[in-house]
Amino acid sequence: MKLLRYGPAGAEKPGMLDASGTIRDLSGVIADLKGDALSPAGLAKLAALDASKLPAVSGNPRLGPPVTGLTNFICIGLNYADHAAETGAAIPKEPIVFIKSLGALCGPNDDVIIPKGSVKTDWEVELAVIIGSKAKCVSEDAAMDHVAGYAVCNDVSEREWQIERGGTWDKGKGCDTFGPLGPWLVTKDEIADPQDLAMTLDVDGHRMQNGSTRTMIFGVRHLVSYVSHFITLHPGDVISTGTPPGVGLGQKPPVFLKAGQTMTLAIQGLGEQTQRTVAYEG
């Protein structure tokens, strides 16, 4: 299934994308895509529905993040061997875990705001893992039982603030709109192997990232288990699993985003998202 949330920011309704690409309204079935709706039983209930009998949504509504009610927006740093190489960093011996503010979360096609004073805002296409049931100290063998599905994520990053402003990554990662997620949650049964997905990111039509989840250092199963030993994972929680090479910081010389540009991200089987960059106003 492809599950989504549509409508104005803060007033989204749950939906499902049918086989023809039509959005079907799920608000008569579930309150939202959160909590028990993301559990194995909740997803089985949705999978059993006849989508053709659900109300069709007309027009081209805004898409919000495909989940809500999450507790944690977790990211993994330097998790692609070829990305680590382009930054000159050593291969991590254990996953690098940091937290992205929930305030960064936004819809897949919402504008990305260049923060006030930013000079090094950067892009990162990433595979996001969406948790479906509570996971605490789970084994690798059981890790996938707690996964609802996957989505595209742009881990937008301000490199000066991340690297040059005191040594903690979070301040360069958690700005408003720095976490576009979607367009939809694709349930894990649709993805045969999350470790073999092509992924791309274009800026103004120029291909900047062209990678694959094959070059992940730590795979999805390991990451879910690993993180669950430090942070209890709850339904709707997101683990954004790192980015392949081609970020702005890795260009020679480095290239960073300016207002008025367009980013287009895609991951095989998970859809596409597009954001326009805009200047901070305030």
Side-chain angles (χ1 to χ4, degrees):
M1 291 182 292
K2 293 181 175 65
L3 302 173
L4 55 89
R5 299 173 65 250
Y6 68 95
E12 294 94 343
K13 294 181 179 181
M16 172 189 294
L17 197 72
D18 71 15
S20 71
T22 299
I23 296 175
R24 299 285 178 165
D25 182 19
L26 284 174
S27 60
V29 181
I30 56 172
D32 215 332
L33 286 168
K34 63 179 182 178
D36 289 343
L38 300 171
S39 69
L43 293 178
K45 176 183 175 182
L46 296 180
L49 296 172
D50 182 349
S52 67
K53 295 182 179 179
L54 296 170
V57 177
S58 61
N60 186 29
R62 169 190 173 269
L63 297 179
V67 291
T68 190
L70 56 160
T71 301
N72 298 295
F73 193 167
I74 296 162
C75 295
I76 309 299
L78 296 175
N79 193 36
Y80 282 66
D82 37 6
H83 173 54
E86 79 169 341
T87 65
I91 299 296
K93 295 180 179 178
E94 294 190 41
I96 296 171
V97 178
F98 62 93
I99 301 292
K100 203 171 184 82
S101 167
L102 295 181
L105 189 67
C106 65
N109 304 314
D110 289 348
D111 290 346
V112 166
I113 300 168
I114 304 292
K116 181 179 181 180
S118 167
V119 294
K120 295 183 179 180
T121 295
D122 202 350
W123 57 83
E124 292 189 7
V125 60
E126 303 200 0
L127 171 69
V129 179
I130 298 175
I131 300 299
S133 59
K134 184 177 177 180
K136 183 177 179 65
C137 297
V138 300
S139 68
E140 286 196 38
D141 288 343
M144 298 305 292
D145 296 340
H146 299 272
V147 173
Y150 308 98
V152 182
C153 183
N154 189 353
D155 177 19
V156 186
S157 309
E158 213 299 341
R159 301 301 189 189
E160 180 188 22
W161 302 355
Q162 176 190 355
I163 300 168
E164 303 171 37
R165 296 288 299 275
T168 59
W169 286 16
D170 305 69
K171 66 184 72 171
K173 296 284 192 170
C175 304
D176 294 347
T177 72
F178 269 26
L181 187 70
W184 27 75
L185 182 166
V186 179
T187 50
K188 64 183 177 184
D189 58 292
E190 287 202 18
I191 303 300
D193 184 2
Q195 305 307 149
D196 190 19
L197 301 177
M199 52 204 311
T200 60
L201 184 147
D202 295 353
V203 178
D204 292 339
H206 300 288
R207 181 62 43 89
M208 305 304 292
Q209 291 187 274
N210 188 10
S212 169
T213 58
R214 290 192 303 270
T215 66
M216 272 191 193
I217 298 165
F218 305 104
V220 169
R221 186 182 300 273
H222 180 80
L223 291 174
V224 172
S225 172
Y226 183 88
V227 171
S228 79
H229 282 76
F230 303 95
I231 301 169
T232 300
L233 299 170
H234 299 274
D237 282 359
V238 173
I239 302 176
S240 200
T241 58
T243 197
V247 299
L249 181 66
Q251 306 300 311
K252 301 187 187 318
V255 177
F256 299 109
L257 292 165
K258 301 175 183 177
Q261 295 189 288
T262 299
M263 293 179 282
T264 305
L265 297 73
I267 298 181
Q268 182 181 351
L270 302 183
E272 182 177 286
Q273 55 175 234
T274 299
Q275 301 102 34
R276 184 174 62 100
T277 56
V278 299
Y280 171 84
E281 295 182 2

